[in-house]
Amino acid sequence: MWLYVACLIGLYYLFRWYRERQVASNLRDKYVFITGCDSGFGNLLAKQLDLQGLRGLAACLREKGAEQLRRETSDRVETVILDVTKTESITAAAQWVKERVGNKGLWGLINNAGAIFPDVCTELMTKVNLMKTMNTNLFGVIEVTMSMLQMVKQARGRIVNVSSFMGRLAFFSVAYCCSKYGVEAFSDCLRTDMQPFGVKVCVVEPGGFKTNLTNVQKLQECLENSWNKGPVEVKESYGQEFFEKFLIINKNSLQKCSTNLHLVTDCMEHALTSRYPRYRYSAGWDAQFFFIPLSYLPTVLSDYVWSANCLKPAHAV
């Protein structure tokens, strides 16, 4: 019996491997719009797609990032300044894209821009940090998508939303997790709505990678600011020792982040170029073999595993 099961599993993965190797046609004529190209995943993906011959429309937050990207790519890559938290900037970028793609439509939309403003714990979360995170990571994704959707439908193209393993398993930053859970929900709803129009919607869920988002100094400063401005009674319940150990653990975890950004951009490229892309991509060993599997466990078990490795507040019962 187990032999038959093993054979069926083997045949399934063989079939999936063969199916996913099939490449979409006429890729050199297709346009792809990518947000967050100043650095990190977006910057690397723009260069990667340039080498594949696709026409990249790269959105950067600052002119410095756009200028550097133009120097490092061919004339197939064009850049535009975009702040995904501002409606007028999104509207202008959408018009800019429309002028370039014309009747061909937009083959790929990569919602990659992201931000994180962590708090030490849920009790210390502020509305300011929550809204800054949501405006970039969720509301920005939704508004950019809605502004480009008709062009993607025209091309029967692809929408790739960058979520996170923290959109499947919530910890560390409440605001960030809320935004990424929202991206997962938006992507699921959009995928089912777009299927009748031939548009495919994919989600990439990276693990821990060294980008500007995981800059140790910036995150440590953000956590210190969260603690220093927090209510006295909350800080007393957790204790100064808790906070100091939390900073050490956080720093050690960030320093272990992977430097191989290709693990993520290869998933994005596959979602754009394969005839049969996956609905979800888990990128990184930590996401694939720990965090995502942990998210499938019953809540009581995942909570037990997580709490066993968490710091205890000073006045924990």
Side-chain angles (χ1 to χ4, degrees):
M1 174 186 172
W2 293 111
L3 180 61
Y4 288 117
V5 172
C7 288
L8 285 173
I9 293 173
L11 286 172
Y12 165 75
Y13 279 104
L14 182 63
F15 172 73
R16 191 177 79 164
W17 172 80
Y18 169 75
R19 193 168 184 261
E20 291 182 349
R21 288 190 65 196
Q22 299 181 50
V23 179
S25 59
N26 302 319
L27 287 174
R28 285 184 173 270
D29 297 327
K30 300 184 186 300
Y31 286 87
V32 177
F33 183 75
I34 313 164
T35 67
C37 291
D38 296 81
S39 62
F41 303 135
N43 185 276
L44 180 59
L45 180 64
K47 297 172 184 175
Q48 206 165 308
L49 296 181
D50 183 32
L51 294 175
Q52 296 295 332
L54 280 84
R55 296 183 177 274
L57 303 174
C60 299
L61 180 61
R62 297 177 179 85
E63 181 57 40
K64 181 181 177 182
E67 185 180 343
Q68 183 177 351
L69 182 59
R70 286 194 299 269
R71 287 200 305 266
E72 297 173 350
T73 54
S74 73
D75 57 5
R76 283 188 299 269
V77 175
E78 298 180 69
T79 61
V80 65
I81 302 302
L82 171 64
D83 184 342
V84 299
T85 67
K86 296 180 179 178
T87 298
E88 60 273 19
S89 181
I90 294 172
T91 302
Q95 182 60 36
W96 179 84
V97 171
K98 190 174 183 179
E99 291 170 358
R100 278 148 183 79
V101 303
N103 295 327
K104 290 183 179 180
L106 183 62
W107 171 253
L109 168 59
I110 313 293
N111 283 305
N112 166 72
I116 183 170
F117 304 96
D119 296 292
V120 176
C121 61
T122 307
E123 287 184 273
L124 292 177
M125 182 181 67
T126 64
K127 186 177 180 180
V128 172
N129 281 351
L130 174 63
M131 292 311 299
K132 284 197 297 185
T133 306
M134 297 293 279
N135 283 337
T136 301
N137 295 355
L138 180 57
F139 303 146
V141 168
I142 294 172
E143 194 169 359
V144 169
T145 300
M146 300 308 289
S147 70
M148 307 277 181
L149 194 53
Q150 293 306 313
M151 289 183 277
V152 178
K153 286 173 68 177
Q154 187 178 7
R156 296 182 182 178
R158 313 285 171 81
I159 297 173
V160 182
N161 293 329
V162 180
S163 177
S164 167
F165 68 91
M166 291 167 73
R168 301 283 292 276
L169 188 71
F171 72 101
F172 180 56
S173 173
V174 183
Y176 188 78
C177 290
C178 287
S179 70
K180 293 305 182 180
Y181 268 78
V183 169
E184 297 276 348
F186 173 66
S187 301
D188 286 345
C189 293
L190 186 65
R191 184 181 66 250
T192 54
D193 287 344
M194 289 297 105
Q195 277 179 344
F197 301 102
V199 173
K200 294 180 171 62
V201 180
C202 310
V203 178
V204 178
E205 300 165 336
F209 289 87
K210 286 190 177 180
T211 65
N212 280 349
L213 208 67
T214 55
N215 181 281
V216 175
Q217 184 178 349
K218 288 181 181 178
L219 292 184
Q220 294 290 85
E221 288 175 359
C222 196
L223 290 171
E224 288 173 2
N225 187 54
S226 167
W227 180 262
N228 293 334
K229 291 184 177 181
V232 174
E233 62 271 20
V234 174
K235 292 194 287 185
E236 286 180 350
S237 67
Y238 281 86
Q240 184 65 28
E241 185 180 356
F242 171 93
F243 172 63
E244 291 171 358
K245 287 182 178 179
F246 182 83
L247 285 180
I248 294 171
I249 292 172
N250 179 64
K251 182 178 180 180
N252 292 338
S253 298
L254 291 172
Q255 289 174 339
K256 293 176 183 177
C257 287
S258 173
T259 58
N260 186 7
L261 304 189
H262 280 284
L263 293 175
V264 178
T265 57
D266 286 349
C267 292
M268 296 176 179
E269 182 182 336
H270 185 270
L272 288 169
T273 60
S274 175
R275 285 185 63 191
Y276 303 102
R278 300 180 188 179
Y279 293 142
R280 276 183 168 79
Y281 294 84
S282 299
W285 296 108
D286 52 350
Q288 286 182 314
F289 297 106
F290 182 72
F291 293 113
I292 300 298
L294 187 62
S295 72
Y296 287 116
L297 292 178
T299 304
V300 65
L301 291 180
S302 62
D303 279 2
Y304 176 78
V305 171
W306 201 248
S307 62
N309 295 282
C310 284
L311 292 171
K312 302 297 181 185
H315 294 285
V317 294

